[in-house]
Structure formats: structure tokens, C-alpha cells
Amino acid sequence: MVERFALEDAGYIMYTDLIDRLHADFPSVPAWRIDQIVTAEHDAITGGILQIVPAEVESGAAEMLARESNSHGSEESLSDDGEVA
């Protein structure tokens, strides 16, 4: 089970707040470049592993999985051998 916590307690910040602060500190740098650098730094620190997602992702994913499992019915079940959405 995944342990729930507040973002602030875990040392996380909102992405848009980060971009806004960096853009204010470096106004001559285009927004796309700030985004590119933040993404590269995030990947360097986390190994590219997605750890925080919006809560709505769970309900959307559950809806898609329910639809998918109903449509497969008696067909073969999906495996974890590289299948991507």
C-alpha cells in the first residue's frame, strides 16, 4: 500500500510555482528552456520515475481499466511484457 502524505511535508513543490519562480529569476530564458532544464534535473534526481501524480489520474486510470477489463471479457489477459497504453 502506498503511504499518503502532504506534498509540503515531503519536500515537494508545485510545478507551476517552480516554473514561475525560475522565470522571474531568469526572465531572459525562454519558458520552454526552463521546462527542459527542470525536466532534466527531475530525471537526474529521480531516475525518471514518476512518484507524484494528480489525484484525478487514479480515477481516470480506474475508469479506463474498468472499460478495458470489460471489453476483454473471455479473451487472454494482458501481461507485463512491455504492453503500453
Side-chain angles (χ1 to χ4, degrees):
M1 177 185 254
V2 177
E3 184 179 332
R4 297 196 181 260
F5 54 86
L7 292 178
E8 300 80 20
D9 295 341
Y12 290 94
I13 56 177
M14 296 297 295
Y15 173 79
T16 54
D17 294 344
L18 168 63
I19 297 300
D20 289 346
R21 282 193 299 274
L22 289 172
H23 195 280
D25 290 343
F26 303 94
S28 65
V29 179
W32 66 265
R33 181 62 180 144
I34 292 172
D35 177 66
Q36 190 177 51
I37 289 170
V38 167
T39 299
E41 187 65 14
H42 176 272
D43 288 351
I45 291 169
T46 66
I49 298 169
L50 185 61
Q51 297 177 346
I52 302 290
V53 295
E56 293 83 7
V57 170
E58 182 175 5
S59 60
E63 182 181 317
M64 291 174 69
L65 289 165
R67 217 174 322 150
E68 188 173 286
S69 64
N70 288 339
S71 69
H72 284 91
S74 61
E75 296 177 26
E76 280 182 37
S77 62
L78 297 175
S79 66
D80 285 334
D81 61 352
E83 184 72 26
V84 252

